[in-house]
C-alpha cells in the first residue's frame, strides 16, 4: 500500500509530521518495533534534510509484505559532491537550522546506518531523489 | 489476579452529558461518545487523568481506596507522596503534616521522599554504568510506562528498570516490620490516579507491596483539621530537599544529577519528546524525566492545591531543608538489606492500536480506512463521538460504528434519498404517462 506526503520547506515547526504519521501507521499494521524505529530515524532525517536544504518536496512510501520503501523527491539545489555529503560532520546547513539543533552533518550517515539500502540521485540545479529501503523483520 | 484492564479512571454515567470534550484531549484516543454518553476503551486507557481535568460535568473520576480499609490491618503505615507537602502553606512544618496524617489512624509514617532519595542515587549509578547506551527514560511516573508500552514500544529498553519510590517505600516498611505480629498494611497517600492502577496491575514486578492507595483529596478535609489540632509535632520528617523535590518537575532530573538531562511535564509535551526520541532527534541527553501531569506530581488529579502554588510551596520547603542538612536521610542513600530495587519482569509491547494480528488483513483494513477517511470531511469536529475523522474511519473498519455517524455523511445520504424520492414521485405509472 502507498502513502503520499507533501513537505513544506523551511518550516521547522512542521518538520517531522510525515515521519510521525507513517510511524503511527506502521504500529497499526503490527510492524516489529525495531523496524519502526529504523524507519522513523531514516525517514525523519531525510524529511529534515528536505526542509533544510531543498525547500520541501514530496514523499512516497510503499509498504509491502517484507519491504518498506521511502522515496523523497525534491526540486532543490542538488548535492554537488555526494561523497563529501556522506561524510560524518560535513554540513551545508544554514546558521538558522544549526541554531535549531539540525544540520550537524549526521543525517545521511544516520539514514545509511539505519536502513538496508540507500540510493541518492542528485543533479545540481534540478533536485535530489533519495530512496530508502528497509526490510521488515526483527 | 486482578482484572487485566483495571482502571482507576472511571466514568459516572449519570453525570456525563455526552459533550465530547474529553475525546479530544485523550492522548491514546481511548474515549468515544455513543448514545449520549462517553465510554472508555479499557485496553487503550493509561490512567493519565486528562479526561478528569477536562470534563466540564465532573463525570470522570478516579477511584481510590477509602480510609476505612485500615480496619482490615493490625498495623498501618502511611507512605505519603512528597506532593502532600505542597498542599499546606509553607509555614506549616513537614513534621506537623506528618503528625496530623498519623493521627488519622496510622501507627507510623514513612516518607516516599526518603525512598526517592535512594532511587536518585541508584539511578545516578545506573546512568554512569550505562553511559553511551542511549537516552534513558525515568519510569517513576506510571502513566509514562503505560504510554511507552502502548504508543512507543521501540523505547521500552530505554526505560530505567527500577521500581517507583512508592513501591520502594512499601518494600522498606514491609522489610522493617516483617517480624511484627499481625497484618501490616502500607497505604500510599497519593496525588496520582494511575498509582491506584499501578498497585493493582503493576509493571516490571509481579505484585505490589502497597496495600491501598488513598487520594490526597479524599482525606484533605480531615487532614487539614488534624493539622490545626496538632499539639506536639513528632520528629517524623527524615527526607531531605533531594527527595521532597520529586514532587515537582525537574526534581528527579536534578536529583539524579546526570550531566545532560531534560525534564518534561504535561502529556502533550511528553508525547512530543517521545516522538523525538523515537525519531533519533534527541541525542546527547542521558536521562529524560517525563511527568504526565502539569508541573509534575503536584499537578496530579488527586491533589487539591493549584499545581503552581503547590510547586512554589515545595520549592520553599526544599530551600529550608537544604539549610538544615542534618536532616539528610539516615540510610545514606542505600536500600536496606533484603530490599530489591530492580524490575523482575520484562515489559512488553501492548499495541493497543493494532488493526489485526494478521499483517495481510491489517494492510487490507488500512487500505479501507484510507478510502473511508478520504470520503470524510476532515474537520475532526468530534460530533460523531470519535476524536478525529481518521479515528472514525478506523472504528468503521473495525466494525464498531457506521459512516452515517458522521453528520455530514448523514446529511449527504438524506439529500441523495430526497432527490431519489422526488424523482420517483414525478414518475407516472406507465399506463398514465403520456
Amino acid at each position: 500500500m502507498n502513502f503520499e506526503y507533501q513537505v513544506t520547506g523551511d518550516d521547522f515547526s512542521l518538520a517531522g509530521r510525515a515521519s510521525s504519521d507513517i510511524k503511527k501507521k506502521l504500529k497499526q499494521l503490527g510492524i516489529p518495533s525495531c523496524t519502526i524505529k529504523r524507519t522513523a530515524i531514516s525517514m525523519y532525517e531525510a524529511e529534515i534534510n528536505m526542509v533544510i536544504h531543498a525547500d520541501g518536496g514530496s514523499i512516497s512510501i510503499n509498504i509491502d509484505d517484507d519491504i518498506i520503501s521511502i522515496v523523497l523527491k525534491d526540486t532543490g539545489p542538488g548535492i554537488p559532491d555526494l561523497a563529501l555529503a556522506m561524510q560524518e560532520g560535513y554540513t551545508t546547513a544554514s546558521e538558522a537550522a544549526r541554531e535549531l539543533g539540525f544540520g550537524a552533518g549526521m543525517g545521511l550517515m544516520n539514514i545509511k546506518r539505519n536502513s538496508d539500502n540507500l540510493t541518492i540521485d542528485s543533479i545540481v540545479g534540478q533536485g535530489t531523489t533519495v530512496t530508502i529501503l528497509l526490510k521488515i523483520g526483527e | 489476579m486482578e482484572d487485566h484492564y483495571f482502571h482507576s479512571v472511571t466514568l459516572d454515567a449519570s453525570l456525563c452529558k455526552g459533550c465530547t470534550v474529553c475525546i479530544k484531549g485523550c492522548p491514546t484516543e481511548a474515549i468515544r461518545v455513543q448514545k449520549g454518553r462517553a465510554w472508555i476503551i479499557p485496553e487503550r486507557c493509561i490512567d493519565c487523568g486528562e479526561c478528569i481535568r477536562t470534563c466540564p460535568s465532573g463525570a470522570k473520576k478516579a477511584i481510590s481506596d477509602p480510609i476505612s480499609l485500615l480496619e482490615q490491618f493490625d498495623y498501618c503505615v502511611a507512605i505519603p507522596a512528597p506532593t502532600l507537602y505542597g498542599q499546606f502553606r509553607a509555614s506549616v512544618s513537614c513534621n506537623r503534616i506528618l503528625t496530623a496524617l498519623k493521627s488519622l489512624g496510622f501507627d507510623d509514617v514513612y516518607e516516599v521522599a526518603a525512598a526517592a532519595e535512594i532511587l536518585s542515587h541508584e539511578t545516578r549509578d545506573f546512568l554512569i554504568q550505562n553511559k553511551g547506551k542511549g537516552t534513558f527514560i525515568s519510569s517513576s511516573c506510571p502513566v509514562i510506562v503505560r504510554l511507552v508500552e502502548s504508543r512507543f514500544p521501540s523505547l521500552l529498553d530505554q526505560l530505567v528498570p527500577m521500581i517507583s519510590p512508592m513501591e520502594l517505600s512499601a518494600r522498606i516498611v514491609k522489610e522493617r516490620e516483617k517480624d511484627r505480629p499481625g497484618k501490616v498494611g502500607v497505604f500510599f497517600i497519593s496525588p496520582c490516579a494511575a498509582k491506584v492502577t499501578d498497585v493493582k496491575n503493576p509493571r516490571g514486578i509481579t505484585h505490589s507491596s502497597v496495600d491501598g492507595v488513598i487520594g490526597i483529596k479524599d482525606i484533605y478535609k480531615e487532614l487539614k483539621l488534624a493539622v490545626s489540632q496538632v499539639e506536639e509535632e513528632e520528629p517524623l520528617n527524615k527526607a531531605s530537599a533531594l527527595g521532597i523535590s520529586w514532587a515537582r518537575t525537574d526534581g528527579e532530573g536534578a536529583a539524579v544529577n546526570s550531566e545532560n538531562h531534560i525534564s518534561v511535564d504535561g502529556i502533550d509535551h511528553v508525547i512530543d519528546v517521545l516522538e523525538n526520541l523515537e525519531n533519533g532527534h534527541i541525542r546527547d541527553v542521558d536521562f529524560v524525566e517525563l511527568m504526565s501531569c502539569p508541573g509534575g506530581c503536584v499537578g496530579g488529579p488527586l491533589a487539591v492545591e493549584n499545581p503552581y502554588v503547590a510547586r512554589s510551596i515545595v520549592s520553599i520547603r526544599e530551600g529550608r531543608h537544604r539549610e538544615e542538612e542534618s536532616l539528610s536521610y539516615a540510610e545514606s542513600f542505600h536500600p536496606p538489606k533484603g530490599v530489591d530495587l530492580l524490575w523482575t519482569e520484562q515489559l512488553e509491547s501492548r499495541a493497543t492500536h493494532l488493526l489485526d494480528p494478521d499483517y495481510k488483513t491489517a494492510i487490507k483494513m488500512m487500505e479501507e480506512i484510507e478510502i473511508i477517511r478520504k470520503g470524510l470531511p476532515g474537520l475532526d469536529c468530534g460530533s460523531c463521538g470519535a476524536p478525529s475523522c481518521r479515528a472514525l474511519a478506523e472504528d468503521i473498519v473495525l466494525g464498531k460504528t457506521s459512516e452515517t455517524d458522521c453528520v455530514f455523511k448523514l446529511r449527504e445520504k438524506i439529500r441523495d434519498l430526497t432527490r431519489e424520492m422526488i424523482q420517483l414521485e414525478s414518475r407516472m405509472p406507465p399506463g398514465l404517462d403520456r
Side-chain angles (χ1 to χ4, degrees):
Chain A
M1 84 170 299
N2 192 263
F3 298 100
E4 304 282 338
Y5 296 93
Q6 290 300 316
V7 177
T8 316
D10 273 336
D11 190 343
F12 291 98
S13 64
L14 296 176
R17 284 211 173 172
S19 313
S20 287
D21 192 63
I22 206 72
K23 207 161 63 177
K24 191 178 169 192
K25 289 187 166 82
L26 296 178
K27 286 171 188 174
Q28 286 184 300
L29 292 173
I31 303 277
S33 287
C34 60
T35 308
I36 293 176
K37 197 169 185 179
R38 291 195 301 124
T39 309
I41 294 171
S42 308
M43 184 167 158
Y44 179 78
E45 292 286 9
E47 190 181 345
I48 293 295
N49 274 350
M50 200 178 236
V51 174
I52 297 173
H53 301 290
D55 200 25
S58 65
I59 308 178
S60 175
I61 295 131
N62 197 67
I63 305 165
D64 69 23
D65 284 357
D66 48 14
I67 291 274
I68 298 167
S69 73
I70 309 166
V71 181
L72 302 101
K73 275 188 186 168
D74 68 64
T75 52
I79 306 169
D81 188 337
L82 200 54
L84 192 61
M86 288 299 292
Q87 279 181 22
E88 206 164 291
Y90 177 79
T91 179
T92 56
S94 66
E95 197 55 41
R98 271 183 270 178
E99 275 173 15
L100 285 165
F102 300 112
M106 302 289 285
L108 292 177
M109 277 307 293
N110 255 343
I111 301 172
K112 199 173 163 59
R113 212 174 283 138
N114 284 285
S115 62
D116 292 303
N117 193 285
L118 168 67
T119 317
I120 303 171
D121 295 309
S122 189
I123 301 170
V124 173
Q126 289 186 32
T128 303
T129 299
V130 176
T131 307
I132 301 163
L133 297 180
L134 295 115
K135 283 182 201 155
I136 297 171
E138 293 295 342
Chain B
M1 183 82 179
E2 296 288 343
D3 178 3
H4 180 62
Y5 290 130
F6 171 84
H7 289 292
S8 69
V9 174
T10 55
L11 179 95
D12 182 343
S14 66
L15 293 174
C16 178
K17 291 178 181 163
C19 69
T20 75
V21 169
C22 58
I23 61 173
K24 288 285 177 188
C26 176
T28 53
E29 296 187 337
I31 311 175
R32 297 289 184 275
V33 174
Q34 278 179 354
K35 293 182 181 163
R37 56 156 286 201
W39 61 279
I40 300 170
I41 304 169
E43 64 270 29
R44 287 193 182 182
C45 177
I46 54 170
D47 287 295
C48 65
E50 277 302 297
C51 55
I52 298 176
R53 286 191 192 93
T54 53
C55 178
S57 312
K60 304 288 195 309
K61 290 184 162 56
I63 304 169
S64 50
D65 294 308
I67 199 153
S68 58
L69 189 64
L70 271 66
E71 291 162 16
Q72 296 178 18
F73 295 84
D74 300 304
Y75 188 82
C76 297
V77 182
I79 51 168
T83 300
L84 187 67
Y85 294 139
Q87 310 301 304
F88 296 90
R89 281 186 297 172
S91 56
V92 180
S93 75
C94 293
N95 275 330
R96 177 171 277 266
I97 297 167
L98 295 174
T99 306
L101 177 64
K102 199 177 153 189
S103 75
L104 297 187
F106 296 98
D107 298 290
D108 196 6
V109 294
Y110 178 86
E111 299 160 282
V112 170
E117 289 174 20
I118 298 173
L119 281 163
S120 302
H121 285 257
E122 293 290 325
T123 307
R124 184 188 303 182
D125 290 348
F126 174 85
L127 293 176
I128 291 168
Q129 282 159 20
N130 289 280
K131 183 94 182 155
K133 291 185 185 168
T135 305
F136 283 93
I137 304 164
S138 162
S139 51
S140 63
C141 173
V143 174
I144 304 304
V145 175
R146 282 159 171 75
L147 181 65
V148 171
E149 276 181 328
S150 64
R151 274 189 66 170
F152 302 96
S154 73
L155 299 173
L156 279 172
D157 291 345
Q158 299 305 118
L159 284 167
V160 173
M162 282 187 208
I163 60 172
S164 67
M166 170 190 77
E167 201 55 48
L168 178 57
S169 303
R171 286 188 185 184
I172 289 171
V173 170
K174 289 270 166 92
E175 178 66 22
R176 279 185 185 174
E177 307 297 340
K178 66 181 176 190
D179 296 327
R180 182 177 292 279
K183 212 171 157 193
V184 175
V186 180
F187 301 88
F188 181 53
I189 311 301
S190 177
C192 172
K195 286 288 188 197
V196 184
T197 311
D198 209 39
V199 165
K200 308 238 187 234
N201 289 125
R203 296 288 191 261
I205 55 174
T206 50
H207 80 279
S208 173
S209 299
V210 179
D211 298 292
V213 178
I214 298 167
I216 289 176
K217 74 175 181 62
D218 296 328
I219 54 162
Y220 187 69
K221 199 175 154 193
E222 292 82 355
L223 185 57
K224 204 165 180 197
L225 184 68
V227 162
S228 68
Q229 290 172 344
V230 169
E231 282 175 7
E232 196 178 336
E233 293 175 15
E234 290 182 56
L236 298 166
N237 171 214
K238 301 284 193 298
S240 71
L242 195 80
I244 293 170
S245 71
W246 276 56
R248 55 157 178 97
T249 310
D250 202 37
E252 181 189 357
V256 164
N257 198 25
S258 87
E259 278 177 24
N260 303 305
H261 78 269
I262 55 171
S263 299
V264 185
D265 61 23
I267 196 78
D268 288 344
H269 298 141
V270 161
I271 288 170
D272 192 42
V273 166
L274 290 171
E275 286 279 1
N276 277 294
L277 270 175
E278 208 172 39
N279 289 343
H281 178 55
I282 293 178
R283 304 179 195 119
D284 308 323
V285 172
D286 297 331
F287 181 68
V288 288
E289 176 202 287
L290 301 178
M291 312 291 276
S292 165
C293 294
C297 298
V298 286
L302 300 182
V304 175
E305 185 55 274
N306 174 286
Y308 302 98
V309 173
R311 191 167 68 178
S312 162
I313 295 169
V314 167
S315 297
I316 293 168
R317 292 191 192 279
E318 285 171 45
R320 204 179 291 152
H321 273 69
R322 269 188 213 102
E323 286 169 17
E324 301 165 23
E325 271 307 292
S326 58
L327 276 168
S328 204
Y329 186 53
E331 283 174 286
S332 309
F333 306 120
H334 291 298
K337 220 176 157 194
V339 176
D340 196 11
L341 270 64
L342 293 174
W343 280 347
T344 49
E345 305 296 306
Q346 186 89 26
L347 260 60
E348 284 176 12
S349 162
R350 288 169 197 255
T352 53
H353 288 70
L354 183 67
L355 294 171
D356 194 274
D358 177 60
Y359 178 59
K360 286 189 177 163
T361 310
I363 285 263
K364 208 165 164 273
M365 289 168 86
M366 186 162 283
E367 281 168 345
E368 285 174 46
I369 288 168
E370 285 302 305
I371 292 165
I372 295 170
R373 187 188 60 82
K374 281 175 188 161
L376 292 171
L379 296 171
D380 296 340
C381 66
S383 54
C384 62
S388 64
C389 291
R390 187 184 166 76
L392 175 65
E394 285 171 17
D395 288 352
I396 293 167
V397 171
L398 289 166
K400 292 177 178 168
T401 186
S402 68
E403 204 174 45
T404 45
D405 276 11
C406 169
V407 287
F408 299 93
K409 280 286 176 192
L410 183 67
R411 196 172 64 170
E412 223 171 74
K413 243 184 183 141
I414 291 170
R415 197 181 289 151
D416 290 347
L417 270 172
T418 311
R419 204 175 291 135
E420 211 175 307
M421 282 168 71
I422 290 168
Q423 276 172 2
L424 281 173
E425 190 273 340
S426 67
R427 289 181 66 181
M428 295 292 278
L432 301 172
D433 194 10
R434 296 189 200 184

